[in-house]
Amino acid sequence: MREPGGVAIAERVEEYWGWAAAALFLLVTVDLLTTMYAAAVVGAEAEANPLMRWALGQSLPVLVVVNLGATVLAVVVFRGLMETYRVTPASVRPYYGLLIEAWLGLLVAAGLALFANNLSVIVLGESLI
């Protein structure tokens, strides 16, 4: 099945998954590693996210399980979103696609912002926010 621009729905969904993977890499992997380093520099109590602050005080396996749980939850929710995109009527699918693209763009931007903030904490000793 093709959309008005000639792009197959499966191709579009695959592209969305690529952007979702990039966002998850930034929001989970990069954030976890830089947060751990920042916590070593300024202390875990400086972490703004209360769940992450708690997890930083636990053992490494607990910290990893918390982050894996967040990743699995995000993937399950995104899979559901992609299923709704597939069954959305063709007349509204392009608009729905734009919303998904905007949301994914915001997630990637948030991941980059968190990375920049963590680097600021590591290098300068203070948060950008």
PDB file of all heavy atoms in Angstrom, residues 9 25 28 30 32 39 49 67 78 88-89 94 101 106 108 111 115 129:
ATOM      1  N   ILE A   9       3.728   2.347   3.016  1.00  0.00           N
ATOM      2  CA  ILE A   9       3.519   2.467   4.458  1.00  0.00           C
ATOM      3  C   ILE A   9       4.617   1.734   5.214  1.00  0.00           C
ATOM      4  O   ILE A   9       5.148   2.251   6.199  1.00  0.00           O
ATOM      5  CB  ILE A   9       2.122   1.940   4.858  1.00  0.00           C
ATOM      6  CG1 ILE A   9       1.046   2.842   4.267  1.00  0.00           C
ATOM      7  CG2 ILE A   9       1.984   1.853   6.366  1.00  0.00           C
ATOM      8  CD1 ILE A   9      -0.349   2.314   4.423  1.00  0.00           C
ATOM      9  N   PHE A  25      18.417   5.661  21.762  1.00  0.00           N
ATOM     10  CA  PHE A  25      19.857   5.628  22.007  1.00  0.00           C
ATOM     11  C   PHE A  25      20.283   6.861  22.800  1.00  0.00           C
ATOM     12  O   PHE A  25      21.037   6.762  23.767  1.00  0.00           O
ATOM     13  CB  PHE A  25      20.619   5.542  20.684  1.00  0.00           C
ATOM     14  CG  PHE A  25      22.110   5.579  20.852  1.00  0.00           C
ATOM     15  CD1 PHE A  25      22.783   4.478  21.369  1.00  0.00           C
ATOM     16  CD2 PHE A  25      22.838   6.704  20.517  1.00  0.00           C
ATOM     17  CE1 PHE A  25      24.165   4.502  21.546  1.00  0.00           C
ATOM     18  CE2 PHE A  25      24.209   6.740  20.683  1.00  0.00           C
ATOM     19  CZ  PHE A  25      24.877   5.642  21.198  1.00  0.00           C
ATOM     20  N   VAL A  28      18.300   6.872  26.429  1.00  0.00           N
ATOM     21  CA  VAL A  28      18.581   5.796  27.375  1.00  0.00           C
ATOM     22  C   VAL A  28      20.087   5.579  27.491  1.00  0.00           C
ATOM     23  O   VAL A  28      20.674   5.833  28.534  1.00  0.00           O
ATOM     24  CB  VAL A  28      17.852   4.489  26.987  1.00  0.00           C
ATOM     25  CG1 VAL A  28      18.201   3.375  27.957  1.00  0.00           C
ATOM     26  CG2 VAL A  28      16.345   4.697  26.973  1.00  0.00           C
ATOM     27  N   VAL A  30      22.966   6.980  25.948  1.00  0.00           N
ATOM     28  CA  VAL A  30      23.839   8.145  26.131  1.00  0.00           C
ATOM     29  C   VAL A  30      23.516   8.839  27.451  1.00  0.00           C
ATOM     30  O   VAL A  30      24.427   9.207  28.206  1.00  0.00           O
ATOM     31  CB  VAL A  30      23.719   9.108  24.929  1.00  0.00           C
ATOM     32  CG1 VAL A  30      24.454  10.407  25.191  1.00  0.00           C
ATOM     33  CG2 VAL A  30      24.253   8.441  23.665  1.00  0.00           C
ATOM     34  N   LEU A  32      22.175   7.532  30.166  1.00  0.00           N
ATOM     35  CA  LEU A  32      22.602   6.709  31.302  1.00  0.00           C
ATOM     36  C   LEU A  32      24.106   6.845  31.536  1.00  0.00           C
ATOM     37  O   LEU A  32      24.551   7.070  32.669  1.00  0.00           O
ATOM     38  CB  LEU A  32      22.240   5.243  31.069  1.00  0.00           C
ATOM     39  CG  LEU A  32      22.760   4.259  32.117  1.00  0.00           C
ATOM     40  CD1 LEU A  32      22.200   4.573  33.493  1.00  0.00           C
ATOM     41  CD2 LEU A  32      22.432   2.838  31.716  1.00  0.00           C
ATOM     42  N   ALA A  39      27.015  11.985  37.905  1.00  0.00           N
ATOM     43  CA  ALA A  39      26.762  11.668  39.310  1.00  0.00           C
ATOM     44  C   ALA A  39      28.070  11.407  40.045  1.00  0.00           C
ATOM     45  O   ALA A  39      28.199  11.750  41.227  1.00  0.00           O
ATOM     46  CB  ALA A  39      25.840  10.466  39.424  1.00  0.00           C
ATOM     47  N   ASN A  49      15.738  13.879  37.922  1.00  0.00           N
ATOM     48  CA  ASN A  49      14.715  12.840  37.806  1.00  0.00           C
ATOM     49  C   ASN A  49      14.728  11.994  39.085  1.00  0.00           C
ATOM     50  O   ASN A  49      15.709  11.327  39.380  1.00  0.00           O
ATOM     51  CB  ASN A  49      15.023  11.976  36.574  1.00  0.00           C
ATOM     52  CG  ASN A  49      14.044  10.837  36.381  1.00  0.00           C
ATOM     53  OD1 ASN A  49      13.277  10.490  37.261  1.00  0.00           O
ATOM     54  ND2 ASN A  49      14.092  10.245  35.205  1.00  0.00           N
ATOM     55  N   ASN A  67      16.550   1.045  33.483  1.00  0.00           N
ATOM     56  CA  ASN A  67      16.690   1.589  32.130  1.00  0.00           C
ATOM     57  C   ASN A  67      16.187   0.619  31.067  1.00  0.00           C
ATOM     58  O   ASN A  67      15.579   1.040  30.084  1.00  0.00           O
ATOM     59  CB  ASN A  67      18.138   1.997  31.869  1.00  0.00           C
ATOM     60  CG  ASN A  67      18.429   3.360  32.452  1.00  0.00           C
ATOM     61  OD1 ASN A  67      18.230   4.368  31.806  1.00  0.00           O
ATOM     62  ND2 ASN A  67      18.854   3.390  33.708  1.00  0.00           N
ATOM     63  N   PHE A  78       5.621   2.411  21.250  1.00  0.00           N
ATOM     64  CA  PHE A  78       5.874   2.835  19.875  1.00  0.00           C
ATOM     65  C   PHE A  78       5.351   1.808  18.882  1.00  0.00           C
ATOM     66  O   PHE A  78       4.836   2.174  17.826  1.00  0.00           O
ATOM     67  CB  PHE A  78       7.370   3.087  19.649  1.00  0.00           C
ATOM     68  CG  PHE A  78       7.639   3.795  18.360  1.00  0.00           C
ATOM     69  CD1 PHE A  78       7.349   5.146  18.242  1.00  0.00           C
ATOM     70  CD2 PHE A  78       8.147   3.120  17.271  1.00  0.00           C
ATOM     71  CE1 PHE A  78       7.561   5.810  17.031  1.00  0.00           C
ATOM     72  CE2 PHE A  78       8.367   3.771  16.071  1.00  0.00           C
ATOM     73  CZ  PHE A  78       8.079   5.118  15.954  1.00  0.00           C
ATOM     74  N   THR A  88      -4.669   3.636  10.130  1.00  0.00           N
ATOM     75  CA  THR A  88      -5.294   4.946   9.987  1.00  0.00           C
ATOM     76  C   THR A  88      -5.784   5.124   8.553  1.00  0.00           C
ATOM     77  O   THR A  88      -5.076   4.770   7.611  1.00  0.00           O
ATOM     78  CB  THR A  88      -4.279   6.061  10.331  1.00  0.00           C
ATOM     79  OG1 THR A  88      -3.873   5.898  11.682  1.00  0.00           O
ATOM     80  CG2 THR A  88      -4.872   7.435  10.144  1.00  0.00           C
ATOM     81  N   PRO A  89      -6.981   5.650   8.355  1.00  0.00           N
ATOM     82  CA  PRO A  89      -7.477   5.856   6.997  1.00  0.00           C
ATOM     83  C   PRO A  89      -6.508   6.705   6.160  1.00  0.00           C
ATOM     84  O   PRO A  89      -5.876   7.637   6.674  1.00  0.00           O
ATOM     85  CB  PRO A  89      -8.802   6.594   7.202  1.00  0.00           C
ATOM     86  CG  PRO A  89      -9.216   6.265   8.599  1.00  0.00           C
ATOM     87  CD  PRO A  89      -7.949   6.070   9.377  1.00  0.00           C
ATOM     88  N   PRO A  94      -1.406  11.050   6.282  1.00  0.00           N
ATOM     89  CA  PRO A  94      -0.303  12.021   6.157  1.00  0.00           C
ATOM     90  C   PRO A  94      -0.231  12.995   7.335  1.00  0.00           C
ATOM     91  O   PRO A  94       0.858  13.351   7.793  1.00  0.00           O
ATOM     92  CB  PRO A  94      -0.612  12.763   4.860  1.00  0.00           C
ATOM     93  CG  PRO A  94      -1.471  11.831   4.079  1.00  0.00           C
ATOM     94  CD  PRO A  94      -2.264  11.062   5.085  1.00  0.00           C
ATOM     95  N   GLU A 101       6.191  12.431  13.190  1.00  0.00           N
ATOM     96  CA  GLU A 101       7.506  12.996  12.864  1.00  0.00           C
ATOM     97  C   GLU A 101       7.875  14.137  13.807  1.00  0.00           C
ATOM     98  O   GLU A 101       9.028  14.235  14.245  1.00  0.00           O
ATOM     99  CB  GLU A 101       7.527  13.469  11.415  1.00  0.00           C
ATOM    100  CG  GLU A 101       7.482  12.317  10.427  1.00  0.00           C
ATOM    101  CD  GLU A 101       7.208  12.752   8.996  1.00  0.00           C
ATOM    102  OE1 GLU A 101       7.333  13.961   8.692  1.00  0.00           O
ATOM    103  OE2 GLU A 101       6.877  11.874   8.190  1.00  0.00           O
ATOM    104  N   LEU A 106      11.038  15.912  18.450  1.00  0.00           N
ATOM    105  CA  LEU A 106      11.135  16.437  19.813  1.00  0.00           C
ATOM    106  C   LEU A 106      11.881  15.472  20.740  1.00  0.00           C
ATOM    107  O   LEU A 106      12.649  15.908  21.598  1.00  0.00           O
ATOM    108  CB  LEU A 106       9.742  16.729  20.370  1.00  0.00           C
ATOM    109  CG  LEU A 106       9.038  17.942  19.764  1.00  0.00           C
ATOM    110  CD1 LEU A 106       7.590  18.018  20.264  1.00  0.00           C
ATOM    111  CD2 LEU A 106       9.783  19.223  20.091  1.00  0.00           C
ATOM    112  N   VAL A 108      14.264  13.330  19.823  1.00  0.00           N
ATOM    113  CA  VAL A 108      15.689  13.422  19.485  1.00  0.00           C
ATOM    114  C   VAL A 108      16.272  14.721  20.043  1.00  0.00           C
ATOM    115  O   VAL A 108      17.365  14.732  20.622  1.00  0.00           O
ATOM    116  CB  VAL A 108      15.905  13.304  17.955  1.00  0.00           C
ATOM    117  CG1 VAL A 108      17.335  13.665  17.576  1.00  0.00           C
ATOM    118  CG2 VAL A 108      15.563  11.897  17.480  1.00  0.00           C
ATOM    119  N   GLY A 111      16.791  14.324  23.709  1.00  0.00           N
ATOM    120  CA  GLY A 111      17.974  13.501  23.970  1.00  0.00           C
ATOM    121  C   GLY A 111      19.259  14.297  23.812  1.00  0.00           C
ATOM    122  O   GLY A 111      20.178  14.182  24.632  1.00  0.00           O
ATOM    123  N   PHE A 115      21.952  15.275  26.763  1.00  0.00           N
ATOM    124  CA  PHE A 115      23.373  15.008  26.573  1.00  0.00           C
ATOM    125  C   PHE A 115      24.191  16.280  26.822  1.00  0.00           C
ATOM    126  O   PHE A 115      25.193  16.260  27.539  1.00  0.00           O
ATOM    127  CB  PHE A 115      23.611  14.466  25.164  1.00  0.00           C
ATOM    128  CG  PHE A 115      25.046  14.234  24.831  1.00  0.00           C
ATOM    129  CD1 PHE A 115      25.835  13.380  25.591  1.00  0.00           C
ATOM    130  CD2 PHE A 115      25.625  14.863  23.741  1.00  0.00           C
ATOM    131  CE1 PHE A 115      27.171  13.162  25.278  1.00  0.00           C
ATOM    132  CE2 PHE A 115      26.962  14.656  23.416  1.00  0.00           C
ATOM    133  CZ  PHE A 115      27.736  13.801  24.183  1.00  0.00           C
ATOM    134  N   ILE A 129      20.222  23.960  33.081  1.00  0.00           N
ATOM    135  CA  ILE A 129      18.853  24.338  33.441  1.00  0.00           C
ATOM    136  C   ILE A 129      18.742  24.702  34.907  1.00  0.00           C
ATOM    137  O   ILE A 129      19.539  24.445  35.703  1.00  0.00           O
ATOM    138  CB  ILE A 129      17.826  23.233  33.099  1.00  0.00           C
ATOM    139  CG1 ILE A 129      18.321  21.865  33.521  1.00  0.00           C
ATOM    140  CG2 ILE A 129      17.522  23.261  31.638  1.00  0.00           C
ATOM    141  CD1 ILE A 129      17.359  20.748  33.253  1.00  0.00           C
TER     142      ILE A 129
END
